[in-house]
Amino acid sequence: MARGKATSLLHILLLGSLLISLVSVKGESPYKFYTWTVTYGIISPLGVPQQVILINGQFPGPKLEVVTNDNIILNLINKLDQPFLLTWNGIKQRKNSWQDGVLGTNCPIPPNSNFTYKFQTKDQIGTYNYFPSTAFHKAAGGFGAINVYARPRIPIPYPLPVSDFTLLIGDWFKTNHKTLQQRLDSGGVLPFPDGMLINGQTQTSFTGDQGKTYMLRISNVGLSSTFNFRIQGHKMKVVEVEGSHVIQNDYESLDVHVGQLLHRCKHPVPEKELNVTGLLRYSNSRVPASGAPPPLPPGELIWSMRQARTFRWNLTANAARPNPQGSFHYGKIKPTKSFVFSNSAPLINGKQRYAVNGVSYVNSETPHECYSELPSNSRVTVATSVVQASLHDFLEIVFQNNEKSVQSWHLDGYDFWVVGFGSGQWTPAKRRLYNLADALTRHTTQVYPNAWTTILVSLDNQGMWSMRSARWDRQYLGQQFYLKVWDPVKSLANEYNPPDNLLRCGKAVGRHL
């Protein structure tokens, strides 16, 4: 992101989804009501007319701006020619996986029908987003920002910004989303994207006053690419990442991986690059932008991994509640179970698929299949896959990536501590490298090529939760599974009953749940 000549007196606070800005919200009801209508429309994001998904006629969709613990009542009307769902990326849906908006927990909304989502931003702050989880709709749009502001009187560990800007950045394809889906269904791979967009445009601008502090809320809403964010002539201070306040460091550029709300403006094909430029202008400036955009940082993946290790939890800061973030001492808890999940890209019946521990996921009515705790060298199978765990388990999960591209993993219903990154093959001896003191909590993490990433997660949210690749072609072709967090004793203290308006499909039609 480049801006014109000017002195460097505009202070930038970066939130990571990348961020959170705090404004005082007064007199708001704890319930907020919305009606959204999903339609097709023709626009030209890259200069060529193409069919996109609009929400209330907007691309990107409307911004959800709410406060911690607000109750959201959102009636979604589907006017597409296909079933449709939205998922609320990063919203934990406490005890309420029925509202998660993914096919493992929700039946899709049929054409010319509607569904009313009812969920709460329970004990959360930060920058999140929503997007379609059905078919390959995400390639057509239907995404938007969710900004969850802190409640008044909860202190924040940085000066209140004058204003905040939401940046939805991601790769984009001129090809129709149904054509891309057919290409994947026939065994092909996702092509190289045609460009990148900021807030649905190839060029956008923001205006600020010299000497004042602004917050940027940055999300990677693309399908497969990671990008590096930088501002000409400025450093950026990161203050929050996916709902966690962090130790505040200054950065000249930031890697933001797919699904994160923080990598380089590069596709997994290393010899090609894409760029998108915005303009950050001082309100008193009268000169046009000039000069080359700031260069990419040196060192490629080594630089990126080193940067990732600099994001640390601010243990003394409040989050959504007035208590220190680090009051839960995750590093002193012994895991009850350990898993190693290894991604792969097998051909099955001559067609490209993606898999985890030898299982390529499909949405199906067949019985669930449980994973082993370690990668398997046996033949890859296609199945509806579920990892079973008990409520209040404390898991160690290692993502092993033996491929040549950066992977990005997301878990619905939770955030987790990202305690370790390392090259090569993970072994138990690598545990000595873990950060067990102030590792960041987030809901999406990168796994570098020929490397591993370890997370720790406390299973305190009962339900069926999607764990998936945030690279959407890989998710669509099987790099996902569901984590079933369960207690055999039925209790509303652990999980809400299914809502009265729950849609039924497949074997659930006509059944009382």
Side-chain angles (χ1 to χ4, degrees):
M1 182 172 178
R3 99 173 156 79
K5 286 184 178 179
T7 56
S8 301
L9 295 180
L10 186 70
H11 302 293
I12 305 296
L13 284 181
L14 257 194
L15 270 213
S17 183
L18 229 290
L19 297 327
I20 181 180
S21 106
L22 271 124
V23 299
S24 176
V25 179
K26 299 180 180 179
E28 289 287 298
S29 167
Y31 283 83
K32 293 191 174 181
F33 298 87
Y34 305 88
T35 297
W36 287 1
T37 301
V38 182
T39 61
Y40 286 126
I42 302 296
I43 62 173
S44 305
L46 293 177
V48 176
Q50 65 180 117
Q51 184 186 64
V52 301
I53 292 175
L54 307 175
I55 299 180
N56 287 359
Q58 299 178 43
F59 174 83
K63 188 187 302 180
L64 272 181
E65 294 193 299
V66 298
V67 176
T68 298
N69 292 347
D70 274 355
N71 293 281
I72 312 303
I73 312 296
L74 191 149
N75 182 29
L76 189 70
I77 303 169
N78 178 19
K79 291 294 184 179
L80 305 185
D81 58 355
Q82 295 179 319
F84 185 81
L85 279 174
L86 286 179
T87 188
W88 315 96
N89 196 45
I91 301 302
K92 293 181 183 178
Q93 308 291 0
R94 296 290 303 174
K95 304 188 292 183
N96 199 17
S97 62
W98 316 105
Q99 307 294 329
D100 199 24
V102 290
L103 289 172
T105 53
N106 294 98
C107 295
I109 306 166
N112 296 311
S113 186
N114 73 296
F115 176 74
T116 300
Y117 291 92
K118 300 176 182 179
F119 62 89
Q120 186 182 26
T121 52
K122 177 69 173 172
D123 291 340
Q124 287 191 259
I125 57 169
T127 303
Y128 307 99
N129 58 55
Y130 61 86
F131 59 82
S133 63
T134 41
F136 213 59
H137 291 136
K138 190 180 181 186
F143 54 76
I146 306 173
N147 296 336
V148 184
Y149 295 92
R151 290 174 294 172
R153 302 189 187 91
I154 304 297
I156 57 173
Y158 51 85
L160 196 69
V162 171
S163 184
D164 60 339
F165 301 116
T166 298
L167 303 180
L168 302 175
I169 306 176
D171 53 17
W172 189 256
F173 298 78
K174 297 177 183 178
T175 305
N176 183 275
H177 70 98
K178 293 182 180 178
T179 304
L180 289 175
Q181 183 178 349
Q182 291 168 359
R183 176 172 178 157
L184 296 178
D185 289 340
S186 64
V189 298
L190 195 67
F192 191 79
D194 296 299
M196 297 191 74
L197 303 176
I198 300 177
N199 292 347
Q201 304 174 67
T202 55
Q203 293 186 348
T204 189
S205 63
F206 306 91
T207 301
D209 294 331
Q210 195 168 354
K212 294 183 179 179
T213 299
Y214 295 84
M215 178 163 291
L216 305 182
R217 298 173 173 271
I218 301 175
S219 299
N220 187 335
V221 295
L223 295 182
S224 62
S225 303
T226 57
F227 66 82
N228 182 270
F229 184 86
R230 49 205 186 275
I231 302 176
Q232 186 182 41
H234 291 79
K235 290 186 178 182
M236 301 166 287
K237 186 182 295 293
V238 175
V239 297
E240 180 256 304
V241 176
E242 295 176 8
S244 292
H245 289 130
V246 297
I247 299 297
Q248 295 173 19
N249 295 316
D250 292 333
Y251 297 88
E252 294 183 350
S253 67
L254 290 157
D255 274 356
V256 188
H257 301 269
V258 184
Q260 289 181 340
L261 324 170
L262 237 138
H263 203 142
R264 176 154 316 185
C265 185
K266 296 181 71 174
H267 189 266
V269 180
E271 66 273 12
K272 297 182 180 181
E273 294 183 6
L274 293 172
N275 295 276
V276 62
T277 302
L279 181 65
L280 177 61
R281 181 181 294 278
Y282 291 129
S283 58
N284 62 352
S285 173
R286 298 294 181 266
V287 297
S290 63
L296 284 168
E300 297 291 338
L301 295 173
I302 294 176
W303 176 91
S304 183
M305 187 181 294
R306 285 175 177 170
Q307 181 183 84
R309 291 177 178 141
T310 67
F311 296 118
R312 299 295 185 96
W313 221 14
N314 186 337
L315 301 182
T316 63
N318 297 313
R321 289 179 175 272
N323 58 283
Q325 293 184 129
S327 58
F328 185 87
H329 299 294
Y330 73 93
K332 297 181 180 180
I333 302 172
K334 182 178 180 180
T336 54
K337 291 183 179 179
S338 294
F339 295 92
V340 178
F341 295 126
S342 180
N343 52 272
S344 60
L347 293 178
I348 300 178
N349 297 325
K351 295 182 178 181
Q352 181 67 66
R353 295 285 301 181
Y354 299 101
V356 187
N357 287 10
V359 181
S360 184
Y361 181 89
V362 289
N363 290 300
S364 174
E365 294 180 357
T366 56
H368 294 317
E369 178 173 322
C370 295
Y371 276 114
S372 65
E373 296 180 4
L374 296 172
S376 170
N377 294 321
S378 61
R379 181 182 176 186
V380 176
T381 59
V382 176
T384 303
S385 320
V386 174
V387 171
Q388 298 197 41
S390 298
L391 186 64
H392 304 307
D393 273 350
F394 191 77
L395 301 187
E396 174 193 43
I397 295 176
V398 179
F399 297 112
Q400 179 67 52
N401 179 17
N402 296 323
E403 299 183 63
K404 296 180 180 180
S405 59
V406 176
Q407 302 296 311
S408 191
W409 277 97
H410 170 84
L411 175 60
D412 280 354
Y414 287 92
D415 50 19
F416 45 71
W417 291 272
V418 185
V419 296
F421 300 96
S423 300
Q425 203 73 21
W426 181 88
T427 65
K430 304 292 186 181
R431 290 179 176 133
R432 62 182 178 82
L433 303 176
Y434 290 177
N435 174 5
L436 299 180
D438 58 357
L440 186 64
T441 65
R442 61 188 317 167
H443 55 71
T444 306
T445 187
Q446 69 272 29
V447 191
Y448 294 99
N450 298 307
W452 55 269
T453 296
T454 298
I455 67 171
L456 299 177
V457 56
S458 177
L459 299 186
D460 60 355
N461 194 13
Q462 184 165 307
M464 187 78 75
W465 303 105
S466 170
M467 181 173 278
R468 59 180 181 263
S469 174
R471 291 178 54 182
W472 212 241
D473 55 328
R474 297 184 74 103
Q475 177 275 151
Y476 179 77
L477 291 178
Q479 190 173 317
Q480 63 169 314
F481 57 88
Y482 278 80
L483 178 64
K484 182 180 180 181
V485 181
W486 194 247
D487 188 324
V489 179
K490 183 176 176 58
S491 171
L492 292 178
N494 294 337
E495 185 177 23
Y496 299 142
N497 287 327
D500 294 337
N501 67 334
L502 188 70
L503 297 173
R504 270 109 169 144
C505 56
K507 294 181 179 179
V509 172
R511 293 178 57 190
H512 176 73
L513 298 181

